[in-house]
Amino acid sequence: MVERLASPAAHELDALTDLWERSVRATHDFLAPEDIPFFRRMVREEALSGVEELYVIRDSGNGFAAFAGIGADRLEMLFVAPSARGKGLGRELVEHVAVHCGVRRVDVNEQNAQAVGFYTRMGFRVVSRDALDPSGRPYPILHLER
């Protein structure tokens, strides 16, 4: 069940950041090892608090299994715990924010072939590409819309 997390407490932001890191370590093998602490700090201190709305799916222990952050009509972030991958949680979150929040755009790392494939199956198509990520690192970004 998708739940809106209106005002996450510090311990919830910590738990979401931990989920982010586990997910990234499982899916973003193109990142340099020193990039993970840099991005982790950015996620915890800026990205999570910078989204307009945050949606979560909890696991059976009431922890977080997946989360999505949105801003306007853009999916700003979508991460699923490694133990919950392949169970439809990412699809459930994307469908929820598309229907209830009007999300129709997302950016994805070009080197994350699994994510590119996922968004393509969800009906997104590439409309443009940047050679560098927003922090200036050499991780090309694909801009997708549906």
Side-chain angles (χ1 to χ4, degrees), residues 4-6 48 50-55 68-72 74 76-77 96-97 100-101:
R4 182 169 183 256
L5 199 59
L48 285 169
V51 295
E52 291 176 17
E53 295 183 51
L54 194 58
Y55 292 90
I70 64 166
R74 177 182 300 281
E76 297 289 350
M77 58 180 72
H96 181 87
V97 299
H100 299 284
C101 307

PDB file of all heavy atoms in Angstrom, residues 4-6 48 50-55 68-72 74 76-77 96-97 100-101:
ATOM      1  N   ARG A   4       1.605   8.370   1.710  1.00  0.00           N
ATOM      2  CA  ARG A   4       2.299   9.659   1.615  1.00  0.00           C
ATOM      3  C   ARG A   4       2.963   9.927   2.960  1.00  0.00           C
ATOM      4  O   ARG A   4       2.318   9.842   4.003  1.00  0.00           O
ATOM      5  CB  ARG A   4       1.332  10.786   1.270  1.00  0.00           C
ATOM      6  CG  ARG A   4       2.055  12.115   1.115  1.00  0.00           C
ATOM      7  CD  ARG A   4       1.144  13.183   0.515  1.00  0.00           C
ATOM      8  NE  ARG A   4       1.882  14.398   0.332  1.00  0.00           N
ATOM      9  CZ  ARG A   4       1.778  15.469   1.127  1.00  0.00           C
ATOM     10  NH1 ARG A   4       0.931  15.470   2.148  1.00  0.00           N
ATOM     11  NH2 ARG A   4       2.511  16.542   0.900  1.00  0.00           N
ATOM     12  N   LEU A   5       4.244  10.244   2.931  1.00  0.00           N
ATOM     13  CA  LEU A   5       5.004  10.567   4.134  1.00  0.00           C
ATOM     14  C   LEU A   5       5.107  12.083   4.194  1.00  0.00           C
ATOM     15  O   LEU A   5       6.005  12.681   3.604  1.00  0.00           O
ATOM     16  CB  LEU A   5       6.373   9.897   4.065  1.00  0.00           C
ATOM     17  CG  LEU A   5       7.146   9.711   5.348  1.00  0.00           C
ATOM     18  CD1 LEU A   5       6.361   8.870   6.353  1.00  0.00           C
ATOM     19  CD2 LEU A   5       8.480   9.049   5.057  1.00  0.00           C
ATOM     20  N   ALA A   6       4.161  12.715   4.895  1.00  0.00           N
ATOM     21  CA  ALA A   6       4.008  14.169   4.852  1.00  0.00           C
ATOM     22  C   ALA A   6       5.169  14.925   5.476  1.00  0.00           C
ATOM     23  O   ALA A   6       5.732  15.827   4.875  1.00  0.00           O
ATOM     24  CB  ALA A   6       2.693  14.572   5.512  1.00  0.00           C
ATOM     25  N   LEU A  48      16.027  14.413  -0.202  1.00  0.00           N
ATOM     26  CA  LEU A  48      14.811  13.949   0.471  1.00  0.00           C
ATOM     27  C   LEU A  48      13.943  15.109   0.955  1.00  0.00           C
ATOM     28  O   LEU A  48      12.726  15.061   0.844  1.00  0.00           O
ATOM     29  CB  LEU A  48      15.153  13.012   1.628  1.00  0.00           C
ATOM     30  CG  LEU A  48      15.596  11.611   1.212  1.00  0.00           C
ATOM     31  CD1 LEU A  48      16.164  10.848   2.399  1.00  0.00           C
ATOM     32  CD2 LEU A  48      14.445  10.841   0.575  1.00  0.00           C
ATOM     33  N   GLY A  50      14.025  18.050  -0.351  1.00  0.00           N
ATOM     34  CA  GLY A  50      13.767  18.936  -1.475  1.00  0.00           C
ATOM     35  C   GLY A  50      12.613  18.515  -2.365  1.00  0.00           C
ATOM     36  O   GLY A  50      12.185  19.294  -3.213  1.00  0.00           O
ATOM     37  N   VAL A  51      12.106  17.302  -2.181  1.00  0.00           N
ATOM     38  CA  VAL A  51      10.975  16.880  -3.011  1.00  0.00           C
ATOM     39  C   VAL A  51       9.683  17.485  -2.474  1.00  0.00           C
ATOM     40  O   VAL A  51       9.563  17.766  -1.280  1.00  0.00           O
ATOM     41  CB  VAL A  51      10.857  15.336  -3.091  1.00  0.00           C
ATOM     42  CG1 VAL A  51      12.054  14.750  -3.800  1.00  0.00           C
ATOM     43  CG2 VAL A  51      10.660  14.714  -1.731  1.00  0.00           C
ATOM     44  N   GLU A  52       8.729  17.693  -3.362  1.00  0.00           N
ATOM     45  CA  GLU A  52       7.444  18.257  -2.945  1.00  0.00           C
ATOM     46  C   GLU A  52       6.631  17.246  -2.149  1.00  0.00           C
ATOM     47  O   GLU A  52       5.954  17.603  -1.189  1.00  0.00           O
ATOM     48  CB  GLU A  52       6.649  18.723  -4.169  1.00  0.00           C
ATOM     49  CG  GLU A  52       7.269  19.930  -4.833  1.00  0.00           C
ATOM     50  CD  GLU A  52       6.543  20.335  -6.098  1.00  0.00           C
ATOM     51  OE1 GLU A  52       5.386  19.896  -6.310  1.00  0.00           O
ATOM     52  OE2 GLU A  52       7.125  21.091  -6.881  1.00  0.00           O
ATOM     53  N   GLU A  53       6.682  15.987  -2.589  1.00  0.00           N
ATOM     54  CA  GLU A  53       5.950  14.926  -1.897  1.00  0.00           C
ATOM     55  C   GLU A  53       6.789  13.667  -1.897  1.00  0.00           C
ATOM     56  O   GLU A  53       7.537  13.403  -2.833  1.00  0.00           O
ATOM     57  CB  GLU A  53       4.610  14.653  -2.575  1.00  0.00           C
ATOM     58  CG  GLU A  53       3.655  15.835  -2.507  1.00  0.00           C
ATOM     59  CD  GLU A  53       2.305  15.514  -3.117  1.00  0.00           C
ATOM     60  OE1 GLU A  53       1.711  14.485  -2.740  1.00  0.00           O
ATOM     61  OE2 GLU A  53       1.859  16.288  -3.966  1.00  0.00           O
ATOM     62  N   LEU A  54       6.635  12.884  -0.828  1.00  0.00           N
ATOM     63  CA  LEU A  54       7.375  11.644  -0.650  1.00  0.00           C
ATOM     64  C   LEU A  54       6.365  10.531  -0.395  1.00  0.00           C
ATOM     65  O   LEU A  54       5.485  10.667   0.464  1.00  0.00           O
ATOM     66  CB  LEU A  54       8.321  11.803   0.542  1.00  0.00           C
ATOM     67  CG  LEU A  54       9.418  10.800   0.763  1.00  0.00           C
ATOM     68  CD1 LEU A  54      10.359  10.714  -0.437  1.00  0.00           C
ATOM     69  CD2 LEU A  54      10.223  11.190   2.001  1.00  0.00           C
ATOM     70  N   TYR A  55       6.488   9.453  -1.157  1.00  0.00           N
ATOM     71  CA  TYR A  55       5.595   8.306  -1.025  1.00  0.00           C
ATOM     72  C   TYR A  55       6.423   7.078  -0.684  1.00  0.00           C
ATOM     73  O   TYR A  55       7.526   6.905  -1.209  1.00  0.00           O
ATOM     74  CB  TYR A  55       4.810   8.069  -2.321  1.00  0.00           C
ATOM     75  CG  TYR A  55       3.826   9.178  -2.578  1.00  0.00           C
ATOM     76  CD1 TYR A  55       4.188  10.299  -3.306  1.00  0.00           C
ATOM     77  CD2 TYR A  55       2.540   9.113  -2.057  1.00  0.00           C
ATOM     78  CE1 TYR A  55       3.292  11.332  -3.520  1.00  0.00           C
ATOM     79  CE2 TYR A  55       1.633  10.142  -2.264  1.00  0.00           C
ATOM     80  CZ  TYR A  55       2.017  11.249  -2.990  1.00  0.00           C
ATOM     81  OH  TYR A  55       1.123  12.278  -3.181  1.00  0.00           O
ATOM     82  N   ALA A  68       9.399   6.896  -3.288  1.00  0.00           N
ATOM     83  CA  ALA A  68       9.433   7.763  -4.462  1.00  0.00           C
ATOM     84  C   ALA A  68       9.276   9.192  -3.997  1.00  0.00           C
ATOM     85  O   ALA A  68       8.473   9.481  -3.110  1.00  0.00           O
ATOM     86  CB  ALA A  68       8.309   7.399  -5.428  1.00  0.00           C
ATOM     87  N   GLY A  69      10.041  10.086  -4.598  1.00  0.00           N
ATOM     88  CA  GLY A  69       9.912  11.510  -4.337  1.00  0.00           C
ATOM     89  C   GLY A  69       9.530  12.209  -5.618  1.00  0.00           C
ATOM     90  O   GLY A  69      10.048  11.882  -6.691  1.00  0.00           O
ATOM     91  N   ILE A  70       8.595  13.162  -5.522  1.00  0.00           N
ATOM     92  CA  ILE A  70       8.145  13.858  -6.716  1.00  0.00           C
ATOM     93  C   ILE A  70       8.245  15.367  -6.540  1.00  0.00           C
ATOM     94  O   ILE A  70       8.231  15.886  -5.427  1.00  0.00           O
ATOM     95  CB  ILE A  70       6.709  13.476  -7.115  1.00  0.00           C
ATOM     96  CG1 ILE A  70       5.713  13.902  -6.038  1.00  0.00           C
ATOM     97  CG2 ILE A  70       6.598  11.994  -7.396  1.00  0.00           C
ATOM     98  CD1 ILE A  70       4.283  13.859  -6.509  1.00  0.00           C
ATOM     99  N   GLY A  71       8.332  16.044  -7.666  1.00  0.00           N
ATOM    100  CA  GLY A  71       8.292  17.497  -7.733  1.00  0.00           C
ATOM    101  C   GLY A  71       7.552  17.880  -8.995  1.00  0.00           C
ATOM    102  O   GLY A  71       7.949  17.477 -10.087  1.00  0.00           O
ATOM    103  N   ALA A  72       6.447  18.573  -8.857  1.00  0.00           N
ATOM    104  CA  ALA A  72       5.578  18.942  -9.990  1.00  0.00           C
ATOM    105  C   ALA A  72       5.187  17.673 -10.735  1.00  0.00           C
ATOM    106  O   ALA A  72       4.659  16.750 -10.134  1.00  0.00           O
ATOM    107  CB  ALA A  72       6.254  19.971 -10.874  1.00  0.00           C
ATOM    108  N   ARG A  74       7.320  15.569 -12.158  1.00  0.00           N
ATOM    109  CA  ARG A  74       8.572  14.812 -12.315  1.00  0.00           C
ATOM    110  C   ARG A  74       8.768  13.834 -11.152  1.00  0.00           C
ATOM    111  O   ARG A  74       8.618  14.205  -9.990  1.00  0.00           O
ATOM    112  CB  ARG A  74       9.750  15.760 -12.381  1.00  0.00           C
ATOM    113  CG  ARG A  74      11.105  15.071 -12.479  1.00  0.00           C
ATOM    114  CD  ARG A  74      12.243  16.068 -12.492  1.00  0.00           C
ATOM    115  NE  ARG A  74      12.153  16.982 -13.612  1.00  0.00           N
ATOM    116  CZ  ARG A  74      12.528  16.687 -14.865  1.00  0.00           C
ATOM    117  NH1 ARG A  74      12.999  15.499 -15.147  1.00  0.00           N
ATOM    118  NH2 ARG A  74      12.423  17.596 -15.811  1.00  0.00           N
ATOM    119  N   GLU A  76      11.324  12.466  -9.059  1.00  0.00           N
ATOM    120  CA  GLU A  76      12.683  12.892  -8.725  1.00  0.00           C
ATOM    121  C   GLU A  76      13.554  11.741  -8.242  1.00  0.00           C
ATOM    122  O   GLU A  76      14.770  11.773  -8.385  1.00  0.00           O
ATOM    123  CB  GLU A  76      12.638  13.989  -7.646  1.00  0.00           C
ATOM    124  CG  GLU A  76      11.935  15.263  -8.083  1.00  0.00           C
ATOM    125  CD  GLU A  76      12.715  16.073  -9.094  1.00  0.00           C
ATOM    126  OE1 GLU A  76      13.894  15.777  -9.354  1.00  0.00           O
ATOM    127  OE2 GLU A  76      12.122  17.026  -9.641  1.00  0.00           O
ATOM    128  N   MET A  77      12.909  10.739  -7.642  1.00  0.00           N
ATOM    129  CA  MET A  77      13.671   9.593  -7.138  1.00  0.00           C
ATOM    130  C   MET A  77      12.736   8.418  -6.938  1.00  0.00           C
ATOM    131  O   MET A  77      11.576   8.592  -6.580  1.00  0.00           O
ATOM    132  CB  MET A  77      14.389   9.946  -5.834  1.00  0.00           C
ATOM    133  CG  MET A  77      13.479  10.417  -4.725  1.00  0.00           C
ATOM    134  SD  MET A  77      14.345  10.840  -3.184  1.00  0.00           S
ATOM    135  CE  MET A  77      15.154  12.348  -3.648  1.00  0.00           C
ATOM    136  N   HIS A  96       1.069   4.964  -9.030  1.00  0.00           N
ATOM    137  CA  HIS A  96       0.393   5.809  -8.050  1.00  0.00           C
ATOM    138  C   HIS A  96       0.679   7.293  -8.310  1.00  0.00           C
ATOM    139  O   HIS A  96      -0.249   8.097  -8.377  1.00  0.00           O
ATOM    140  CB  HIS A  96       0.821   5.442  -6.630  1.00  0.00           C
ATOM    141  CG  HIS A  96       0.148   6.255  -5.580  1.00  0.00           C
ATOM    142  ND1 HIS A  96      -1.072   5.907  -5.048  1.00  0.00           N
ATOM    143  CD2 HIS A  96       0.500   7.414  -4.985  1.00  0.00           C
ATOM    144  CE1 HIS A  96      -1.439   6.825  -4.162  1.00  0.00           C
ATOM    145  NE2 HIS A  96      -0.493   7.749  -4.105  1.00  0.00           N
ATOM    146  N   VAL A  97       1.949   7.635  -8.469  1.00  0.00           N
ATOM    147  CA  VAL A  97       2.279   9.056  -8.650  1.00  0.00           C
ATOM    148  C   VAL A  97       1.854   9.564 -10.027  1.00  0.00           C
ATOM    149  O   VAL A  97       1.571  10.749 -10.184  1.00  0.00           O
ATOM    150  CB  VAL A  97       3.769   9.370  -8.353  1.00  0.00           C
ATOM    151  CG1 VAL A  97       4.100   9.035  -6.900  1.00  0.00           C
ATOM    152  CG2 VAL A  97       4.714   8.667  -9.312  1.00  0.00           C
ATOM    153  N   HIS A 100      -2.212   9.869  -9.361  1.00  0.00           N
ATOM    154  CA  HIS A 100      -2.637  10.785  -8.298  1.00  0.00           C
ATOM    155  C   HIS A 100      -1.892  12.116  -8.275  1.00  0.00           C
ATOM    156  O   HIS A 100      -2.388  13.073  -7.667  1.00  0.00           O
ATOM    157  CB  HIS A 100      -2.520  10.100  -6.933  1.00  0.00           C
ATOM    158  CG  HIS A 100      -3.391   8.891  -6.818  1.00  0.00           C
ATOM    159  ND1 HIS A 100      -4.750   8.974  -6.639  1.00  0.00           N
ATOM    160  CD2 HIS A 100      -3.093   7.581  -6.885  1.00  0.00           C
ATOM    161  CE1 HIS A 100      -5.260   7.762  -6.593  1.00  0.00           C
ATOM    162  NE2 HIS A 100      -4.281   6.901  -6.740  1.00  0.00           N
ATOM    163  N   CYS A 101      -0.716  12.177  -8.906  1.00  0.00           N
ATOM    164  CA  CYS A 101       0.097  13.393  -8.830  1.00  0.00           C
ATOM    165  C   CYS A 101       0.440  13.965 -10.204  1.00  0.00           C
ATOM    166  O   CYS A 101       1.101  14.997 -10.292  1.00  0.00           O
ATOM    167  CB  CYS A 101       1.384  13.110  -8.067  1.00  0.00           C
ATOM    168  SG  CYS A 101       1.133  12.365  -6.446  1.00  0.00           S
TER     169      CYS A 101
END
